[in-house]
Amino acid sequence: MGIEIDKERCVGAGMCALTAPDVFTQDDDGFSEVLPGADERAAEHPMVKEAVRACPVGAVSLTGP
């Protein structure tokens, strides 16, 4: 399972970074990014699904099996 952030849809609300700060961060412009290496451990992280749900514009999604 991986994490995808739709940069066109992201509004920089930061809910993903607040929900799972060891997986998500915000770039210099305030838009969400996945931290380096966090994509590989997404399946094991207990708050990733909640971070996907918390995004007010649905910019964060899970990919793969």
Side-chain angles (χ1 to χ4, degrees):
M1 178 179 356
I3 304 167
E4 188 173 290
I5 297 175
D6 183 340
K7 296 288 189 177
E8 297 295 317
R9 186 178 277 188
C10 181
V11 295
M15 294 306 297
C16 57
L18 289 171
T19 305
D22 48 339
V23 176
F24 300 96
T25 189
Q26 289 179 286
D27 66 16
D28 292 338
D29 294 321
F31 297 107
S32 296
E33 293 183 326
V34 177
L35 289 168
D39 201 42
E40 291 81 32
R41 60 182 192 269
E44 294 87 37
H45 194 284
M47 294 303 290
V48 168
K49 288 182 182 175
E50 179 61 23
V52 170
R53 189 204 61 77
C55 180
V57 295
V60 183
S61 60
L62 296 176
T63 61

Short mmCIF file of all heavy atoms in Angstrom, two decimals:
data_model
loop_
_atom_site.label_atom_id
_atom_site.label_comp_id
_atom_site.label_asym_id
_atom_site.label_seq_id
_atom_site.Cartn_x
_atom_site.Cartn_y
_atom_site.Cartn_z
N MET A 1 0.85 -1.17 0.00
CA MET A 1 0.00 0.00 0.00
C MET A 1 0.89 1.23 0.00
O MET A 1 1.88 1.30 0.72
CB MET A 1 -0.90 -0.01 1.24
CG MET A 1 -1.77 1.20 1.33
SD MET A 1 -2.93 1.33 2.73
CE MET A 1 -2.82 -0.15 3.64
N GLY A 2 0.53 2.20 -0.81
CA GLY A 2 1.26 3.45 -0.87
C GLY A 2 0.32 4.62 -0.62
O GLY A 2 -0.88 4.46 -0.48
N ILE A 3 0.89 5.80 -0.59
CA ILE A 3 0.12 7.02 -0.34
C ILE A 3 0.30 7.94 -1.54
O ILE A 3 1.41 8.12 -2.02
CB ILE A 3 0.62 7.74 0.92
CG1 ILE A 3 0.59 6.82 2.13
CG2 ILE A 3 -0.21 9.00 1.18
CD1 ILE A 3 1.35 7.35 3.32
N GLU A 4 -0.79 8.52 -1.97
CA GLU A 4 -0.74 9.47 -3.07
C GLU A 4 -1.41 10.77 -2.63
O GLU A 4 -2.47 10.75 -2.01
CB GLU A 4 -1.47 8.88 -4.28
CG GLU A 4 -1.32 9.69 -5.53
CD GLU A 4 -1.91 8.95 -6.71
OE1 GLU A 4 -1.32 7.95 -7.12
OE2 GLU A 4 -2.98 9.38 -7.19
N ILE A 5 -0.79 11.90 -2.96
CA ILE A 5 -1.37 13.20 -2.69
C ILE A 5 -1.60 13.90 -4.02
O ILE A 5 -0.66 14.09 -4.79
CB ILE A 5 -0.47 14.05 -1.78
CG1 ILE A 5 -0.30 13.38 -0.43
CG2 ILE A 5 -1.06 15.46 -1.61
CD1 ILE A 5 0.67 14.05 0.51
N ASP A 6 -2.83 14.26 -4.28
CA ASP A 6 -3.18 14.99 -5.50
C ASP A 6 -2.83 16.46 -5.27
O ASP A 6 -3.56 17.18 -4.59
CB ASP A 6 -4.66 14.81 -5.80
CG ASP A 6 -5.10 15.47 -7.09
OD1 ASP A 6 -4.40 16.38 -7.58
OD2 ASP A 6 -6.17 15.09 -7.59
N LYS A 7 -1.72 16.89 -5.84
CA LYS A 7 -1.22 18.26 -5.64
C LYS A 7 -2.17 19.31 -6.22
O LYS A 7 -2.18 20.44 -5.77
CB LYS A 7 0.18 18.42 -6.24
CG LYS A 7 1.22 17.56 -5.57
CD LYS A 7 1.53 18.09 -4.21
CE LYS A 7 2.73 17.37 -3.61
NZ LYS A 7 3.10 17.90 -2.33
N GLU A 8 -2.94 18.93 -7.23
CA GLU A 8 -3.90 19.86 -7.83
C GLU A 8 -5.10 20.08 -6.91
O GLU A 8 -5.70 21.15 -6.92
CB GLU A 8 -4.38 19.33 -9.18
CG GLU A 8 -3.28 19.22 -10.22
CD GLU A 8 -2.70 20.57 -10.59
OE1 GLU A 8 -3.47 21.53 -10.77
OE2 GLU A 8 -1.46 20.66 -10.70
N ARG A 9 -5.42 19.09 -6.12
CA ARG A 9 -6.58 19.16 -5.23
C ARG A 9 -6.24 19.68 -3.84
O ARG A 9 -7.07 20.30 -3.18
CB ARG A 9 -7.21 17.76 -5.13
CG ARG A 9 -8.49 17.73 -4.35
CD ARG A 9 -9.06 16.36 -4.34
NE ARG A 9 -9.81 16.18 -5.58
CZ ARG A 9 -10.57 15.15 -5.85
NH1 ARG A 9 -10.67 14.17 -4.98
NH2 ARG A 9 -11.23 15.06 -6.97
N CYS A 10 -5.02 19.46 -3.38
CA CYS A 10 -4.61 19.85 -2.02
C CYS A 10 -4.76 21.36 -1.82
O CYS A 10 -4.33 22.16 -2.66
CB CYS A 10 -3.15 19.43 -1.79
SG CYS A 10 -2.53 19.84 -0.14
N VAL A 11 -5.37 21.73 -0.69
CA VAL A 11 -5.53 23.15 -0.36
C VAL A 11 -4.65 23.55 0.83
O VAL A 11 -4.71 24.68 1.29
CB VAL A 11 -7.01 23.51 -0.07
CG1 VAL A 11 -7.85 23.33 -1.32
CG2 VAL A 11 -7.56 22.70 1.09
N GLY A 12 -3.88 22.62 1.35
CA GLY A 12 -2.97 22.93 2.45
C GLY A 12 -3.63 23.01 3.81
O GLY A 12 -3.14 23.70 4.70
N ALA A 13 -4.75 22.32 4.00
CA ALA A 13 -5.43 22.34 5.30
C ALA A 13 -4.58 21.72 6.41
O ALA A 13 -4.70 22.08 7.57
CB ALA A 13 -6.78 21.62 5.21
N GLY A 14 -3.71 20.78 6.05
CA GLY A 14 -2.79 20.18 7.01
C GLY A 14 -3.36 19.11 7.90
O GLY A 14 -2.71 18.68 8.85
N MET A 15 -4.57 18.64 7.61
CA MET A 15 -5.18 17.62 8.46
C MET A 15 -4.39 16.32 8.44
O MET A 15 -4.28 15.64 9.45
CB MET A 15 -6.62 17.37 8.04
CG MET A 15 -7.54 18.55 8.27
SD MET A 15 -7.52 19.16 9.97
CE MET A 15 -8.15 17.76 10.85
N CYS A 16 -3.79 15.98 7.31
CA CYS A 16 -3.00 14.75 7.24
C CYS A 16 -1.76 14.87 8.13
O CYS A 16 -1.43 13.95 8.88
CB CYS A 16 -2.61 14.43 5.80
SG CYS A 16 -1.69 15.72 4.96
N ALA A 17 -1.10 16.02 8.08
CA ALA A 17 0.10 16.23 8.89
C ALA A 17 -0.23 16.28 10.38
O ALA A 17 0.56 15.84 11.22
CB ALA A 17 0.82 17.50 8.47
N LEU A 18 -1.40 16.79 10.72
CA LEU A 18 -1.82 16.80 12.13
C LEU A 18 -2.19 15.41 12.62
O LEU A 18 -1.94 15.06 13.76
CB LEU A 18 -3.01 17.75 12.31
CG LEU A 18 -2.70 19.23 12.20
CD1 LEU A 18 -4.00 20.03 12.18
CD2 LEU A 18 -1.83 19.69 13.35
N THR A 19 -2.80 14.62 11.73
CA THR A 19 -3.26 13.28 12.10
C THR A 19 -2.13 12.27 12.17
O THR A 19 -2.09 11.44 13.07
CB THR A 19 -4.33 12.81 11.10
OG1 THR A 19 -5.38 13.79 11.05
CG2 THR A 19 -4.91 11.47 11.49
N ALA A 20 -1.21 12.32 11.21
CA ALA A 20 -0.10 11.37 11.14
C ALA A 20 1.21 12.12 10.84
O ALA A 20 1.73 12.06 9.74
CB ALA A 20 -0.37 10.31 10.09
N PRO A 21 1.73 12.86 11.82
CA PRO A 21 2.90 13.72 11.58
C PRO A 21 4.19 12.98 11.26
O PRO A 21 5.13 13.59 10.75
CB PRO A 21 3.02 14.52 12.88
CG PRO A 21 2.33 13.70 13.91
CD PRO A 21 1.24 12.97 13.18
N ASP A 22 4.25 11.68 11.55
CA ASP A 22 5.45 10.94 11.19
C ASP A 22 5.36 10.34 9.79
O ASP A 22 6.27 9.67 9.33
CB ASP A 22 5.78 9.86 12.22
CG ASP A 22 4.59 9.00 12.61
OD1 ASP A 22 3.45 9.43 12.41
OD2 ASP A 22 4.81 7.90 13.11
N VAL A 23 4.25 10.63 9.07
CA VAL A 23 4.07 10.18 7.70
C VAL A 23 3.96 11.38 6.75
O VAL A 23 4.51 11.37 5.67
CB VAL A 23 2.82 9.28 7.57
CG1 VAL A 23 2.57 8.90 6.12
CG2 VAL A 23 2.97 8.04 8.43
N PHE A 24 3.25 12.43 7.18
CA PHE A 24 3.00 13.59 6.32
C PHE A 24 3.67 14.84 6.88
O PHE A 24 3.86 14.98 8.07
CB PHE A 24 1.49 13.87 6.24
CG PHE A 24 0.69 12.74 5.67
CD1 PHE A 24 0.07 11.83 6.51
CD2 PHE A 24 0.55 12.58 4.31
CE1 PHE A 24 -0.68 10.78 6.00
CE2 PHE A 24 -0.19 11.53 3.78
CZ PHE A 24 -0.81 10.64 4.62
N THR A 25 3.97 15.77 5.97
CA THR A 25 4.46 17.08 6.33
C THR A 25 3.87 18.07 5.33
O THR A 25 3.10 17.69 4.45
CB THR A 25 6.00 17.14 6.31
OG1 THR A 25 6.44 18.37 6.87
CG2 THR A 25 6.56 16.97 4.91
N GLN A 26 4.21 19.33 5.49
CA GLN A 26 3.78 20.34 4.53
C GLN A 26 5.02 21.01 3.95
O GLN A 26 5.99 21.27 4.67
CB GLN A 26 2.87 21.36 5.19
CG GLN A 26 1.50 20.75 5.53
CD GLN A 26 0.59 21.73 6.21
OE1 GLN A 26 0.79 22.04 7.37
NE2 GLN A 26 -0.39 22.22 5.47
N ASP A 27 4.97 21.29 2.65
CA ASP A 27 6.12 21.92 2.00
C ASP A 27 6.16 23.41 2.32
O ASP A 27 5.33 23.92 3.09
CB ASP A 27 6.10 21.65 0.49
CG ASP A 27 4.94 22.28 -0.26
OD1 ASP A 27 4.26 23.19 0.29
OD2 ASP A 27 4.69 21.87 -1.40
N ASP A 28 7.08 24.12 1.73
CA ASP A 28 7.26 25.55 2.01
C ASP A 28 6.04 26.39 1.63
O ASP A 28 5.85 27.47 2.17
CB ASP A 28 8.49 26.08 1.27
CG ASP A 28 9.78 25.51 1.82
OD1 ASP A 28 9.79 25.06 2.99
OD2 ASP A 28 10.79 25.52 1.09
N ASP A 29 5.23 25.88 0.72
CA ASP A 29 4.01 26.59 0.32
C ASP A 29 2.79 26.14 1.12
O ASP A 29 1.68 26.62 0.88
CB ASP A 29 3.76 26.38 -1.17
CG ASP A 29 4.83 27.02 -2.03
OD1 ASP A 29 5.30 28.13 -1.68
OD2 ASP A 29 5.23 26.41 -3.04
N GLY A 30 2.97 25.19 2.05
CA GLY A 30 1.88 24.74 2.90
C GLY A 30 1.12 23.53 2.38
O GLY A 30 0.14 23.11 2.99
N PHE A 31 1.56 22.98 1.25
CA PHE A 31 0.86 21.82 0.69
C PHE A 31 1.46 20.52 1.23
O PHE A 31 2.64 20.45 1.55
CB PHE A 31 0.93 21.85 -0.84
CG PHE A 31 0.23 23.05 -1.41
CD1 PHE A 31 0.95 24.10 -1.94
CD2 PHE A 31 -1.15 23.13 -1.39
CE1 PHE A 31 0.31 25.22 -2.45
CE2 PHE A 31 -1.81 24.25 -1.89
CZ PHE A 31 -1.07 25.30 -2.42
N SER A 32 0.62 19.51 1.30
CA SER A 32 1.01 18.24 1.91
C SER A 32 2.02 17.47 1.08
O SER A 32 1.97 17.48 -0.15
CB SER A 32 -0.22 17.39 2.15
OG SER A 32 -1.07 18.03 3.07
N GLU A 33 2.88 16.75 1.79
CA GLU A 33 3.87 15.85 1.20
C GLU A 33 3.99 14.64 2.10
O GLU A 33 3.77 14.72 3.31
CB GLU A 33 5.25 16.50 1.14
CG GLU A 33 5.40 17.65 0.21
CD GLU A 33 6.84 18.16 0.18
OE1 GLU A 33 7.54 18.12 1.21
OE2 GLU A 33 7.24 18.59 -0.89
N VAL A 34 4.37 13.53 1.49
CA VAL A 34 4.69 12.32 2.26
C VAL A 34 6.16 12.41 2.62
O VAL A 34 7.00 12.72 1.77
CB VAL A 34 4.40 11.05 1.44
CG1 VAL A 34 4.79 9.81 2.21
CG2 VAL A 34 2.93 11.00 1.04
N LEU A 35 6.47 12.17 3.87
CA LEU A 35 7.87 12.20 4.31
C LEU A 35 8.68 11.10 3.61
O LEU A 35 8.13 10.03 3.32
CB LEU A 35 7.95 12.01 5.82
CG LEU A 35 7.47 13.20 6.66
CD1 LEU A 35 7.32 12.78 8.11
CD2 LEU A 35 8.44 14.36 6.53
N PRO A 36 9.94 11.35 3.34
CA PRO A 36 10.78 10.33 2.70
C PRO A 36 10.75 9.01 3.49
O PRO A 36 10.90 9.01 4.71
CB PRO A 36 12.18 10.94 2.72
CG PRO A 36 11.94 12.41 2.81
CD PRO A 36 10.68 12.58 3.62
N GLY A 37 10.51 7.92 2.78
CA GLY A 37 10.48 6.60 3.40
C GLY A 37 9.15 6.23 4.04
O GLY A 37 8.92 5.08 4.37
N ALA A 38 8.27 7.19 4.22
CA ALA A 38 6.99 6.92 4.89
C ALA A 38 6.04 6.13 4.02
O ALA A 38 5.20 5.38 4.53
CB ALA A 38 6.34 8.22 5.34
N ASP A 39 6.17 6.25 2.72
CA ASP A 39 5.28 5.54 1.80
C ASP A 39 5.39 4.03 1.99
O ASP A 39 4.39 3.32 1.94
CB ASP A 39 5.62 5.94 0.36
CG ASP A 39 4.49 5.67 -0.60
OD1 ASP A 39 3.33 5.96 -0.24
OD2 ASP A 39 4.76 5.18 -1.70
N GLU A 40 6.59 3.55 2.26
CA GLU A 40 6.80 2.11 2.41
C GLU A 40 6.16 1.55 3.69
O GLU A 40 5.79 0.40 3.75
CB GLU A 40 8.30 1.78 2.42
CG GLU A 40 8.98 2.00 1.09
CD GLU A 40 9.34 3.47 0.85
OE1 GLU A 40 9.63 4.19 1.81
OE2 GLU A 40 9.32 3.87 -0.31
N ARG A 41 6.04 2.37 4.71
CA ARG A 41 5.47 1.87 5.97
C ARG A 41 4.02 2.31 6.18
O ARG A 41 3.48 2.17 7.27
CB ARG A 41 6.36 2.27 7.14
CG ARG A 41 6.56 3.73 7.34
CD ARG A 41 7.50 4.01 8.53
NE ARG A 41 7.45 5.40 8.87
CZ ARG A 41 8.24 6.34 8.38
NH1 ARG A 41 9.17 6.01 7.52
NH2 ARG A 41 8.12 7.60 8.75
N ALA A 42 3.40 2.82 5.15
CA ALA A 42 2.02 3.32 5.26
C ALA A 42 1.05 2.26 5.73
O ALA A 42 0.16 2.53 6.52
CB ALA A 42 1.57 3.89 3.92
N ALA A 43 1.21 1.04 5.24
CA ALA A 43 0.27 -0.03 5.59
C ALA A 43 0.28 -0.33 7.08
O ALA A 43 -0.74 -0.70 7.65
CB ALA A 43 0.59 -1.29 4.80
N GLU A 44 1.42 -0.16 7.72
CA GLU A 44 1.53 -0.49 9.14
C GLU A 44 1.15 0.67 10.06
O GLU A 44 0.94 0.47 11.24
CB GLU A 44 2.97 -0.92 9.48
CG GLU A 44 3.39 -2.21 8.81
CD GLU A 44 3.96 -1.98 7.42
OE1 GLU A 44 4.65 -0.97 7.20
OE2 GLU A 44 3.69 -2.80 6.54
N HIS A 45 1.12 1.88 9.53
CA HIS A 45 0.87 3.03 10.39
C HIS A 45 -0.61 3.10 10.77
O HIS A 45 -1.49 3.10 9.89
CB HIS A 45 1.29 4.32 9.69
CG HIS A 45 1.37 5.48 10.63
ND1 HIS A 45 0.26 6.12 11.10
CD2 HIS A 45 2.44 6.06 11.20
CE1 HIS A 45 0.64 7.08 11.93
NE2 HIS A 45 1.96 7.06 12.00
N PRO A 46 -0.92 3.18 12.06
CA PRO A 46 -2.31 3.13 12.49
C PRO A 46 -3.16 4.35 12.12
O PRO A 46 -4.38 4.26 12.08
CB PRO A 46 -2.20 3.00 14.02
CG PRO A 46 -0.87 3.58 14.35
CD PRO A 46 0.01 3.27 13.18
N MET A 47 -2.54 5.49 11.81
CA MET A 47 -3.32 6.70 11.56
C MET A 47 -3.41 7.11 10.09
O MET A 47 -4.02 8.13 9.77
CB MET A 47 -2.73 7.85 12.39
CG MET A 47 -2.86 7.67 13.88
SD MET A 47 -4.57 7.44 14.44
CE MET A 47 -5.21 9.08 14.18
N VAL A 48 -2.81 6.35 9.19
CA VAL A 48 -2.82 6.74 7.78
C VAL A 48 -4.24 6.75 7.21
O VAL A 48 -4.64 7.69 6.54
CB VAL A 48 -1.87 5.85 6.95
CG1 VAL A 48 -2.10 6.05 5.47
CG2 VAL A 48 -0.43 6.17 7.30
N LYS A 49 -5.02 5.73 7.49
CA LYS A 49 -6.39 5.70 6.98
C LYS A 49 -7.21 6.85 7.55
O LYS A 49 -8.05 7.43 6.86
CB LYS A 49 -7.06 4.36 7.28
CG LYS A 49 -6.52 3.24 6.43
CD LYS A 49 -7.22 1.94 6.71
CE LYS A 49 -6.60 0.84 5.84
NZ LYS A 49 -7.16 -0.46 6.16
N GLU A 50 -6.97 7.20 8.79
CA GLU A 50 -7.66 8.34 9.39
C GLU A 50 -7.23 9.65 8.72
O GLU A 50 -8.04 10.54 8.51
CB GLU A 50 -7.40 8.40 10.90
CG GLU A 50 -8.07 9.56 11.60
CD GLU A 50 -9.59 9.57 11.50
OE1 GLU A 50 -10.20 8.51 11.27
OE2 GLU A 50 -10.17 10.65 11.65
N ALA A 51 -5.96 9.76 8.38
CA ALA A 51 -5.47 10.96 7.69
C ALA A 51 -6.12 11.09 6.31
O ALA A 51 -6.47 12.20 5.89
CB ALA A 51 -3.95 10.91 7.56
N VAL A 52 -6.29 9.97 5.62
CA VAL A 52 -6.98 9.99 4.32
C VAL A 52 -8.41 10.49 4.51
O VAL A 52 -8.89 11.35 3.78
CB VAL A 52 -6.96 8.59 3.68
CG1 VAL A 52 -7.88 8.53 2.46
CG2 VAL A 52 -5.54 8.19 3.31
N ARG A 53 -9.08 9.97 5.50
CA ARG A 53 -10.46 10.36 5.77
C ARG A 53 -10.57 11.82 6.20
O ARG A 53 -11.52 12.52 5.86
CB ARG A 53 -11.05 9.47 6.87
CG ARG A 53 -12.54 9.67 7.06
CD ARG A 53 -13.01 9.27 8.45
NE ARG A 53 -12.40 10.04 9.51
CZ ARG A 53 -12.74 11.30 9.84
NH1 ARG A 53 -13.65 11.94 9.17
NH2 ARG A 53 -12.15 11.91 10.84
N ALA A 54 -9.57 12.32 6.92
CA ALA A 54 -9.61 13.68 7.46
C ALA A 54 -9.38 14.77 6.43
O ALA A 54 -9.72 15.93 6.67
CB ALA A 54 -8.57 13.82 8.58
N CYS A 55 -8.83 14.43 5.27
CA CYS A 55 -8.56 15.45 4.26
C CYS A 55 -9.89 16.05 3.78
O CYS A 55 -10.73 15.34 3.24
CB CYS A 55 -7.79 14.88 3.08
SG CYS A 55 -7.44 16.11 1.81
N PRO A 56 -10.08 17.36 3.95
CA PRO A 56 -11.37 17.97 3.60
C PRO A 56 -11.67 18.01 2.10
O PRO A 56 -12.83 18.17 1.72
CB PRO A 56 -11.27 19.38 4.17
CG PRO A 56 -9.81 19.67 4.22
CD PRO A 56 -9.15 18.34 4.50
N VAL A 57 -10.65 17.84 1.26
CA VAL A 57 -10.89 17.87 -0.19
C VAL A 57 -10.57 16.54 -0.86
O VAL A 57 -10.61 16.43 -2.08
CB VAL A 57 -10.10 19.02 -0.86
CG1 VAL A 57 -10.60 20.37 -0.38
CG2 VAL A 57 -8.60 18.88 -0.62
N GLY A 58 -10.24 15.52 -0.10
CA GLY A 58 -9.97 14.20 -0.65
C GLY A 58 -8.70 14.12 -1.48
O GLY A 58 -8.63 13.33 -2.42
N ALA A 59 -7.71 14.91 -1.12
CA ALA A 59 -6.46 14.93 -1.89
C ALA A 59 -5.54 13.77 -1.53
O ALA A 59 -4.63 13.46 -2.30
CB ALA A 59 -5.73 16.25 -1.67
N VAL A 60 -5.75 13.13 -0.40
CA VAL A 60 -4.88 12.05 0.06
C VAL A 60 -5.60 10.72 -0.19
O VAL A 60 -6.77 10.57 0.16
CB VAL A 60 -4.55 12.19 1.56
CG1 VAL A 60 -3.59 11.09 2.00
CG2 VAL A 60 -3.96 13.56 1.85
N SER A 61 -4.89 9.78 -0.80
CA SER A 61 -5.48 8.46 -1.06
C SER A 61 -4.44 7.38 -0.86
O SER A 61 -3.24 7.63 -0.88
CB SER A 61 -6.07 8.40 -2.46
OG SER A 61 -5.08 8.63 -3.43
N LEU A 62 -4.94 6.16 -0.68
CA LEU A 62 -4.07 4.99 -0.57
C LEU A 62 -4.08 4.28 -1.91
O LEU A 62 -5.10 4.20 -2.58
CB LEU A 62 -4.58 4.05 0.53
CG LEU A 62 -4.53 4.63 1.93
CD1 LEU A 62 -5.14 3.65 2.92
CD2 LEU A 62 -3.13 4.98 2.34
N THR A 63 -2.93 3.75 -2.28
CA THR A 63 -2.79 3.06 -3.56
C THR A 63 -2.30 1.64 -3.33
O THR A 63 -1.70 1.34 -2.30
CB THR A 63 -1.79 3.79 -4.48
OG1 THR A 63 -0.52 3.82 -3.84
CG2 THR A 63 -2.25 5.20 -4.77
N GLY A 64 -2.54 0.80 -4.30
CA GLY A 64 -2.03 -0.57 -4.24
C GLY A 64 -2.84 -1.48 -3.36
O GLY A 64 -3.86 -1.10 -2.80
N PRO A 65 -2.34 -2.73 -3.21
CA PRO A 65 -3.09 -3.74 -2.45
C PRO A 65 -3.10 -3.48 -0.96
O PRO A 65 -2.33 -2.84 -0.39
CB PRO A 65 -2.34 -5.03 -2.76
CG PRO A 65 -1.06 -4.66 -3.39
CD PRO A 65 -1.17 -3.24 -3.83
#
